[in-house]
Amino acid sequence: MTSYNANMMAVLKRLYMGLILFFMYAPIAVLIIFSFNASRSRGTWEGFTLDWYIRLLNDQHTQRALRNTVLIAIFSTIFATAIGTVAAIGIDKLKKRSRTAIMLVSRVPVMMPDVIIGISLMMLFLFVFRTLGVGSLGFGTMLLAHVIFNVPYVILSVTPKLRQLDPNLYEAALDLGSNPLRAFVQVILPELWPGVVTGAMLAFTMSVDDFMVSFFTTSPGVQNLSIRIFSMTRRGVDPSINALSTIIFVVVMIMLILINRRDRRLIHKNAEDD
Amino acid sequence: MRRLFTYPYIVWLAIFVIAPLLLVFFYAFSGTDADGYTYFTFQNINKFFEGIIEGQPFFQRIYVRVATRSLRMALQTTVICFLLGYPLAHILASKGFRDKPILLFLFIMPMWMNFLVRTYGWMTILERNGIMNNLLRRMNLPTIDILFTDSAVLLGMVYNFLPFMVLPIYTALTKMDKRIIEAAQDLGASPRSVFLRVVFPLSMPGVVSGITMVFMPAAATFIIPNLLGGGQFFLLGNLVEQQFLLVGNWHFGSAVAVVMIVLMLVSTFILSRFDRQTEASEGGMRL
């Protein structure tokens, strides 16, 4: 009786997971299948075609949007990682009270709804431009906005590593005749590195995925991929969106598999070291 | 050295985190007269609570209804995500599935896809002549027309936010000390009371952070209602966007943003109290 019950439970568990997976992947599967559909219709299948991919490859707006997304992701990641790492080290050295206060303010961009970050940064940029009499929203403001919302993710990833750090390490390096800069680069940084890498990867994905903040901090002329997709969906049925989604899906999947492999290799390596 | 590392960052925070928020509050509590002068006022906040038509009962006033609709939809999304997500996290963390990281990977993967794209996928499925209705027609069943309704928006929100509920609960369940569960079993607790009195209370921190991670973004979203609810579907996020980008009324838009910030702080406060309670009970258990 119990084994019958246990089997029933196992079947139910699998069924439940299957249903949720179906729910999670249904819209993605539909997008991929219909990216090869010869008809414009989103509901009926009328034969195989690659037309939408070809059209996408020839679409200047999408190409420019893709370039913006990649450039902003790379540069905002570099800036945010540098600022966040240095800030995390500085914060760690503070007294407890000021540390708590600064960490609380640092978290604001993570806790606030995206819409509010978006409009408040838009107001700041326009306010500054109006006061100075020059400047306008565009690539620069979008990049700066991405750096601003990415810094906390780096800080939150580096801080735990700083806690694990042996405080004597830095002193030891100095005692052994190293100068402060060299001690930092050759002794402290390698210890923090895993946290820095995690923070950078988080920042990169946040930047690629962002819509809201970008939407408010750019001008209609400068789009990233998310804004491009949004404006395409506003204009109604366009199977090019499906083609674009399929490409994004494949790229994301490959990236995740690579990261996963790397993590597993690291775990194996650490296990061997131990 | 220490100053060199900290002070620039404090300046950074002041300019890019504090100043923007101060601007929101500044605009929310000010107005501009015909001559371009700025004055202090409560009129924007009042406008939010009074609406446009005079003498309406409180909950029928237009902006109050936008707020209650946002909170209601966010609450419904959170409850559905919890009801769907807890069992899923429990299964994923249970024996036999825990050692299969690929499963968790499968559930997290859609989260990494651009959410606009996933929402667009639902539009394709739910349309009047979309896939779901085509299938229903082929089976001679009545069609369902739910795109651009509450249900479609709710579906889109649950779909987008479900992983944010599953992940923290999963983490809380896997980190749990298995010896406590074994102890409860050894002391003769039935599986039901092991779950209700040991496992569930210990997973509360995960539940609380799951609720936070679903409720907050759900209350503030404007893209999902925009795409799946059609143009007429109005939530707080849509109202803010409309005031800033279409109407160009920064004062009233900021007032709505301030209302959102206050709602967020209140719900964070309520949730953090829950968290503290569970922490206290957890401490008790360790004794």
Side-chain angles (χ1 to χ4, degrees):
Chain A
M1 188 65 196
T2 28
S3 83
Y4 172 76
N5 269 344
N7 276 337
M8 263 309 272
M9 274 308 280
V11 171
L12 278 178
K13 279 179 179 179
R14 270 159 219 269
L15 192 70
Y16 186 72
M17 286 207 304
L19 280 175
I20 302 238
L21 274 181
F22 177 76
F23 173 65
M24 299 297 278
Y25 282 91
I28 299 174
V30 163
L31 284 173
I32 295 178
I33 294 167
F34 278 81
S35 73
F36 300 108
N37 188 10
S39 152
R40 269 192 94 82
S41 151
R42 286 194 284 200
T44 41
W45 177 259
E46 278 167 29
F48 182 87
T49 182
L50 286 176
D51 282 0
W52 310 116
Y53 288 88
I54 295 163
R55 237 177 64 164
L56 195 70
L57 287 177
N58 294 323
D59 178 12
Q60 298 270 316
H61 291 289
T62 306
Q63 282 173 16
R64 228 173 295 150
L66 176 67
R67 205 188 56 205
N68 286 338
T69 294
V70 172
L71 284 179
I72 288 184
I74 292 174
F75 285 115
S76 73
T77 302
I78 294 172
F79 291 136
T81 309
I83 297 171
T85 307
V86 171
I89 294 168
I91 296 169
D92 193 60
K93 294 240 163 64
L94 291 172
K95 290 200 191 81
K96 193 163 185 267
R97 264 178 95 181
S98 26
R99 194 172 61 208
T100 331
I102 293 187
M103 280 308 272
L104 189 72
V105 180
S106 297
R107 272 170 203 270
V108 166
V110 181
M111 297 187 309
M112 279 287 166
D114 295 349
V115 195
I116 294 183
I117 311 262
I119 56 126
S120 66
L121 287 178
M122 178 184 100
M123 281 160 80
L124 177 80
F125 294 148
L126 290 178
F127 183 81
V128 171
F129 293 150
R130 212 175 284 167
T131 322
L132 294 177
V134 282
S136 60
L137 295 178
F139 187 88
T141 46
M142 191 169 22
L143 174 61
L144 182 55
H146 279 230
V147 178
I148 293 167
F149 74 69
N150 272 335
V151 166
Y153 291 103
V154 179
I155 295 184
L156 292 176
S157 316
V158 176
T159 308
K161 291 282 158 207
L162 278 163
R163 289 286 144 76
Q164 295 167 10
L165 200 67
D166 184 347
N168 298 321
L169 220 52
Y170 179 72
E171 310 285 330
L174 292 185
D175 286 347
L176 291 170
S178 166
N179 64 20
L181 185 69
R182 194 158 157 226
F184 173 72
V185 173
Q186 293 196 338
V187 178
I188 306 293
L189 208 55
E191 292 285 311
L192 301 181
W193 199 242
V196 176
V197 172
T198 312
M201 285 193 329
L202 260 176
F204 190 86
T205 39
M206 287 293 166
S207 171
V208 170
D209 211 40
D210 178 71
F211 168 76
M212 295 278 218
V213 179
S214 313
F215 186 61
F216 285 104
T217 51
T218 186
S219 59
V222 185
Q223 295 182 319
N224 67 5
L225 219 45
S226 300
I227 299 175
R228 176 75 191 136
I229 296 169
F230 180 65
S231 69
M232 279 163 103
T233 57
R234 295 266 75 182
R235 240 175 284 138
V237 189
D238 182 354
S240 301
I241 308 175
N242 298 18
L244 185 58
S245 315
T246 307
I247 296 172
I248 296 177
F249 181 76
V250 172
V251 171
V252 167
M253 204 168 68
I254 293 172
M255 268 178 62
L256 281 180
I257 291 173
L258 287 180
I259 292 172
N260 233 25
R261 274 223 181 132
R262 176 183 155 272
D263 283 353
R264 215 166 294 162
R265 251 209 333 267
L266 276 182
I267 292 166
H268 279 298
K269 209 181 127 220
N270 286 344
E272 276 163 26
D273 288 351
D274 290 345
Chain B
M1 187 72 174
R2 189 183 300 171
R3 284 181 190 171
L4 200 74
F5 275 46
T6 327
Y7 286 162
Y9 180 62
I10 292 176
V11 175
W12 170 275
L13 283 180
I15 298 176
F16 294 125
V17 178
I18 309 230
L21 284 178
L22 288 181
L23 270 177
V24 171
F25 279 88
F26 173 76
Y27 273 96
F29 291 101
S30 68
T32 316
D33 63 18
D35 300 324
Y37 286 107
T38 305
Y39 55 92
F40 175 82
T41 177
F42 279 109
Q43 70 183 19
N44 307 305
I45 303 281
N46 283 343
K47 182 177 168 189
F48 184 88
F49 289 106
E50 279 165 8
I52 298 165
I53 305 162
E54 264 179 62
Q56 273 180 321
F58 186 74
F59 283 106
Q60 278 175 30
R61 296 174 191 170
I62 176 159
Y63 302 123
V64 175
R65 277 175 61 191
V66 172
T68 49
R69 191 189 295 141
S70 292
L71 290 178
R72 196 192 69 220
M73 302 275 315
L75 206 64
Q76 286 172 330
T77 306
T78 313
V79 170
I80 298 174
C81 280
F82 173 72
L83 293 178
L84 286 177
Y86 199 99
L88 182 65
H90 196 265
I91 294 173
L92 284 173
S94 67
K95 246 183 276 163
F97 294 106
R98 202 185 313 150
D99 43 318
K100 295 194 180 93
I102 181 75
L103 275 174
L104 188 67
F105 177 78
L106 273 176
F107 282 100
I108 299 172
M109 188 158 136
M111 208 169 93
W112 295 91
M113 280 272 285
N114 193 300
F115 79 104
L116 282 158
V117 161
R118 287 176 287 156
T119 310
Y120 181 75
W122 277 112
M123 289 173 79
T124 312
I125 295 178
L126 299 179
E127 259 181 333
R128 183 170 297 151
N129 291 314
I131 290 160
M132 191 178 68
N133 279 340
N134 274 355
L135 281 178
L136 287 174
R137 248 178 241 131
R138 211 162 282 173
M139 292 187 286
N140 286 323
L141 291 168
T143 56
I144 315 169
D145 209 5
I146 70 163
L147 188 61
F148 306 138
T149 64
D150 279 26
S151 321
V153 177
L154 202 58
L155 181 90
M157 300 224 270
V158 169
Y159 179 77
N160 270 293
F161 299 129
L162 183 62
F164 295 108
M165 182 66 86
V166 175
L167 271 182
I169 298 178
Y170 171 82
T171 315
L173 287 172
T174 45
K175 274 205 290 192
M176 200 174 288
D177 188 348
K178 296 291 168 302
R179 286 170 304 181
I180 298 176
I181 300 168
E182 280 159 20
Q185 285 164 343
D186 289 349
L187 291 170
S190 66
R192 194 188 142 97
S193 51
V194 168
F195 177 75
L196 286 178
R197 302 186 49 186
V198 180
V199 177
F200 188 69
L202 281 178
S203 68
M204 265 314 267
V207 174
V208 171
S209 64
I211 290 174
T212 320
M213 285 169 77
V214 173
F215 184 81
M216 304 289 174
T221 178
F222 81 79
I223 284 308
I224 299 167
N226 205 319
L227 291 179
L228 294 174
Q232 82 284 17
F233 207 92
F234 242 53
L235 298 186
L236 282 173
N238 303 75
L239 187 59
V240 173
E241 183 230 0
Q242 183 221 40
Q243 289 301 316
F244 274 93
L245 297 184
L246 292 173
V247 183
N249 187 346
W250 285 20
H251 295 295
F252 185 55
S254 297
V256 181
V258 166
V259 172
M260 283 173 81
I261 293 174
V262 170
L263 287 175
M264 198 201 76
L265 289 178
V266 169
S267 33
T268 313
F269 178 73
I270 296 172
L271 281 168
S272 75
R273 294 203 54 140
F274 264 101
D275 215 14
R276 208 160 297 153
Q277 269 171 15
T278 56
E279 259 168 42
S281 65
E282 216 176 315
M285 293 225 22
R286 279 202 205 96
L287 293 173

